[in-house]
Amino acid sequence: MSAAPLVGYSSSSSEDEDEAKAGAQARPGAGSCPRAQSPLPSQRLPVPDSVLHMFLGTEEGPEDDSAKHGGRVRTFPHERGNWATHVYVPYEAKEEFLDMLDMLLPRAQTYVPRLVRMEAFHLSLSQSVVLRHHWILPFVQALKDRMASFQGTFVGLEVTSGHAQFLDLVSEVDRVMEEFDLTTFYQDPSFHISLAWCVGDARLQLEGQCLRELQTIVDEFEDSEMVLRVHAEQVRCKSGHKFFSMPLK
């Protein structure tokens, strides 16, 4: 059995971008002087500019500074009460996998220097969608109900075994998406684990000679067939900064 193939692709997902939860503002109570008393005249002090400008622009939500996220931008605008939500299977990288990635990334960067190594690894089961805060728990409960009967499966770097099981998982996730009037997953998806990312579309540079060289590294890596296999034991849902786990049998 050959090692799983490497793929280069363009993605507009912002699975690792969190939506901040809007906080409630307290309204201070207003006191009044009793009519029987004559309050002493007081001079009104000027309000410092730092206070006057403290809350400018807060109604429009936080400013998106792409420089803080490696140049990445949101695929949808921030709105109070909206939480970016993503369903996926986590991949806990082992030492051998990271050793192989240490060989792959420098070679790929000779073609696309701006490539950045992923900090965490996963296999997507949904697109990034927007949920209102009060729908998060019902959405997660619906996912748990759909995932309850599924067994764990083995996956490769680009899934060549277990593909049918993942299509079944996506089918159930899509049903929950439809219940909440959200976007379903891609048609005829190719399941994969992302290794690196960059701003902009670099498919032309990665295809051809670059991809062949990377595939050779994978094929020649010791025990690559086992390194590129993982037992998927749970499905996770990330909504804003909250994480929910659904174990597979």
Side-chain angles (χ1 to χ4, degrees):
M1 181 184 297
S2 61
L6 288 161
V7 290
Y9 65 98
S10 175
S11 173
S12 60
S13 65
S14 57
E15 323 157 348
D16 52 356
E17 291 294 324
D18 290 346
E19 292 290 331
K21 181 181 179 182
Q25 293 182 345
R27 177 178 295 178
S32 58
C33 296
R35 292 187 178 182
Q37 297 179 0
S38 298
L40 296 176
S42 61
Q43 183 178 2
R44 178 175 294 179
L45 298 177
V47 180
D49 287 343
S50 59
V51 175
L52 287 174
H53 295 88
M54 184 179 297
F55 300 107
L56 289 181
T58 54
E59 292 302 318
E60 288 76 21
E63 179 183 357
D64 288 331
D65 186 355
S66 61
K68 296 179 180 179
H69 308 286
R72 290 174 290 182
V73 296
R74 295 180 186 272
T75 55
F76 38 79
H78 171 85
E79 183 179 339
R80 289 184 183 275
N82 282 356
W83 290 52
T85 303
H86 177 223
V87 183
Y88 62 97
V89 171
Y91 172 53
E92 302 297 333
K94 301 293 191 263
E95 183 178 355
E96 294 83 359
F97 176 86
L98 298 177
D99 289 342
M100 186 179 67
L101 185 54
D102 286 340
M103 298 173 62
L104 290 169
L105 188 56
R107 181 67 61 88
Q109 287 172 331
T110 63
Y111 292 87
V112 185
R114 64 183 187 275
L115 277 174
V116 179
R117 176 173 168 159
M118 298 292 293
E119 296 180 0
F121 306 94
H122 67 267
L123 190 148
S124 293
L125 297 178
S126 80
Q127 299 190 54
S128 290
V129 297
V130 176
L131 269 182
R132 300 295 293 176
H133 179 262
H134 59 280
W135 285 118
I136 294 176
L137 291 182
F139 178 84
V140 171
Q141 185 58 54
L143 280 177
K144 288 182 177 180
D145 293 342
R146 293 285 182 181
M147 299 295 108
S149 62
F150 278 88
Q151 296 183 347
T153 185
F154 283 91
V155 301
L157 193 61
E158 181 187 15
V159 174
T160 54
S161 63
H163 190 273
Q165 292 95 323
F166 272 87
L167 284 177
D168 290 340
L169 280 173
V170 167
S171 177
E172 297 302 323
V173 173
D174 279 350
R175 290 188 181 186
V176 177
M177 293 293 180
E178 290 170 348
E179 289 177 15
F180 288 80
D181 198 23
L182 298 171
T183 304
T184 57
F185 204 41
Y186 307 104
Q187 294 294 323
D188 301 321
S190 172
F191 302 106
H192 58 270
I193 296 173
S194 299
L195 304 180
W197 66 272
C198 70
V199 176
D201 190 344
R203 281 177 294 179
L204 290 179
Q205 298 98 305
L206 290 172
E207 291 173 353
Q209 182 62 28
C210 175
L211 204 55
R212 286 192 292 271
E213 292 179 12
L214 297 179
Q215 188 66 58
T216 298
I217 293 175
V218 172
D219 293 341
E220 295 179 353
F221 193 83
E222 184 178 3
D223 295 329
S224 61
E225 181 180 328
M226 297 306 299
V227 170
L228 299 179
R229 290 172 66 87
V230 58
H231 188 224
E233 298 178 333
Q234 63 175 306
V235 170
R236 284 185 188 170
C237 177
K238 179 176 182 291
S239 190
H241 60 268
K242 296 179 180 293
F243 292 84
F244 305 89
S245 296
M246 287 140 276
L248 302 175
K249 287 185 178 179

